């Protein structure tokens, strides 16, 4: 596989899947901007990358905020160079059955996943189209196929698949690909919080979930980082507009 050093942005890179993706991209030789709500929360990931001999920058930004998203991309371009890899990973859940879901629950989830991905991509694509090369990877979810208690999240994650396909169509002629990864259950703070909310001890929760998964284990953030590495590689330029379910089996 050919390698070239690029500048990558990973949103929600302070922990979980985003942190693993940032570390993997750094290992692949890219300079990585770790973007999360607070700049200080990105330091752990940046330190781990730097210790391993990589190059990383911490950037604080709420991706759902127009000015903050643009400023984050501008800062990356100034400090690291034009970003040509963007992984839209930042995410939140506000689960509730529809009849109990508030407008705030709905708007929060839409703002981070959909608006955040839109704003970050709109800002970053300017650099990609100029460079005539780019890779966009959006984090969808198996919940895009429907999941009880997640009408907001499943709508946002299905929306991201439509956005990804349209980005692929609009940006292809500039050498830019756009793809989505739809993880199944991945052990992170996000899923740990779900276990806490339903009152099941974390280890039991993971065991119960693993029993339903064909490969008989839960996913780890590195499983997703691996799929990201494939989509952003130099050799993947003919793979665009795709959604890959990384869920330990064929079904969500
Ligand atoms: P996580 O909660 O551990 O990490 C999410 C990160 O995003 C946090 O560091 C958080 O601060 C950051 N973030 C939230 N809102 C932000 C904003 N407005 N601006 C910038 N950063 C923001 O979650 P995770 O499990 O690592 O999930 C990462 C992505 O993968 C999310 O998009 C999630 O929806 C998706 N996903 C996760 C799973 C899973 O099982 N964990 C499954 C499918 C999809």
């Amino acid at each position: 596989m050919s390698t070239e050093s690029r500048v990558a942005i990973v949103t929600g890179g302070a922990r979980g899947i985003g942190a693993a993706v940032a570390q993997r991209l750094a290992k692949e030789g890219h300079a990585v901007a770790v973007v999360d709500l607070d700049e200080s929360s990105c330091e752990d990931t940046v330190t781990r990358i730097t210790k391993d001999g990589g190059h990383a920058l911490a950037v604080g930004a709420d991706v759902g905020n127009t000015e903050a998203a643009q400023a984050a991309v501008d800062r990356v371009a100034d400090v690291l160079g034009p970003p040509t890899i963007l992984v839209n990973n930042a995410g939140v859940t506000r689960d509730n059955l529809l009849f109990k879901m508030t407008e705030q629950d709905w708007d929060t989830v839409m703002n981070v996943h959909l608006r955040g991905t839109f704003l970050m991509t709109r800002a970053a694509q300017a650099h990609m189209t100029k460079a005539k090369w780019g890779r966009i990877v959006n984090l969808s979810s198996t919940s895009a196929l429907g999941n009880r208690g997640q009408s907001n999240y499943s709508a946002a994650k299905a929306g991201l698949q439509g956005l990804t396909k349209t980005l692929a169509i609009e940006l292809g002629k500039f050498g830019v690909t756009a793809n989505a990864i739809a993880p199944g259950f991945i052990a992170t703070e996000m899923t740990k919080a779900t276990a806490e909310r339903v009152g099941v001890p974390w280890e039991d929760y993971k065991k119960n979930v693993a029993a339903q998964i064909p490969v008989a284990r839960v996913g780890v953030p590195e499983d997703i980082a691996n799929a990201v590495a494939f989509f952003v590689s130099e050799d993947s330029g003919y793979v665009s507009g795709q959604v890959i379910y990384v869920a330990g089996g064929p079904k969500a």
Side-chain angles (χ1 to χ4, degrees):
M1 203 172 263
S2 62
T3 52
E4 183 138 350
S5 184
R6 307 278 184 180
V7 173
I9 295 177
V10 181
T11 70
R15 69 182 200 192
I17 293 170
V21 169
Q23 283 174 265
R24 175 66 186 257
L25 294 183
K27 255 190 207 135
E28 306 267 327
H30 306 299
V32 183
V34 181
V35 177
D36 213 298
L37 284 170
D38 294 312
E39 189 172 316
S40 60
S41 70
C42 303
E43 287 305 338
D44 266 5
T45 309
V46 168
T47 304
R48 263 179 271 137
I49 289 173
T50 314
K51 265 193 188 148
D52 285 348
H55 193 29
L57 171 75
V59 180
D62 173 352
V63 296
N65 177 288
T66 307
E67 291 74 32
Q70 185 65 53
V73 172
D74 291 349
R75 172 133 182 264
V76 175
D78 283 350
V79 179
L80 298 177
T84 54
I85 296 173
L86 173 64
V87 183
N88 287 301
N89 164 83
V92 289
T93 51
R94 292 290 184 274
D95 298 352
N96 234 328
L97 293 173
L98 180 69
F99 78 101
K100 287 194 272 189
M101 186 166 288
T102 65
E103 289 96 326
Q104 179 72 46
D105 292 335
W106 180 270
D107 291 344
T108 300
V109 167
M110 292 301 156
N111 273 335
V112 180
H113 295 273
L114 277 180
R115 186 182 163 86
T117 299
F118 157 61
L119 292 173
M120 288 299 292
T121 306
R122 190 179 62 179
Q125 60 78 35
H127 298 286
M128 299 183 193
T129 52
K130 203 167 163 203
K132 294 268 183 287
W133 193 93
R135 299 282 186 264
I136 298 162
V137 181
N138 297 325
L139 265 290
S140 179
S141 166
T142 49
S143 295
L145 303 170
N147 196 25
R148 189 178 170 79
Q150 290 197 313
S151 53
N152 50 0
Y153 185 82
S154 62
K157 291 307 200 184
L160 281 173
Q161 296 190 11
L163 172 61
T164 302
K165 289 169 193 290
T166 299
L167 294 174
I169 292 166
E170 291 189 11
L171 300 174
K173 65 175 175 230
F174 301 102
V176 179
T177 69
N179 291 285
I181 297 170
F185 185 97
I186 309 294
T188 67
E189 294 301 320
M190 184 181 271
T191 39
K192 202 173 180 185
T194 306
E196 273 162 22
R197 195 163 42 78
V198 297
V200 179
W202 180 224
E203 291 308 317
D204 295 346
Y205 192 80
K206 283 190 288 184
K207 215 179 276 172
N208 295 342
V209 171
Q212 309 299 317
I213 298 174
V215 301
R217 67 166 176 90
V218 297
V220 291
E222 290 72 21
D223 290 318
I224 305 308
N226 187 49
V228 172
F230 166 71
F231 279 137
V232 309
S233 78
E234 298 291 325
D235 296 342
S236 295
Y238 204 56
V239 182
S240 197
Q242 300 305 304
V243 180
I244 184 169
Y245 282 79
V246 181
K251 291 186 191 157

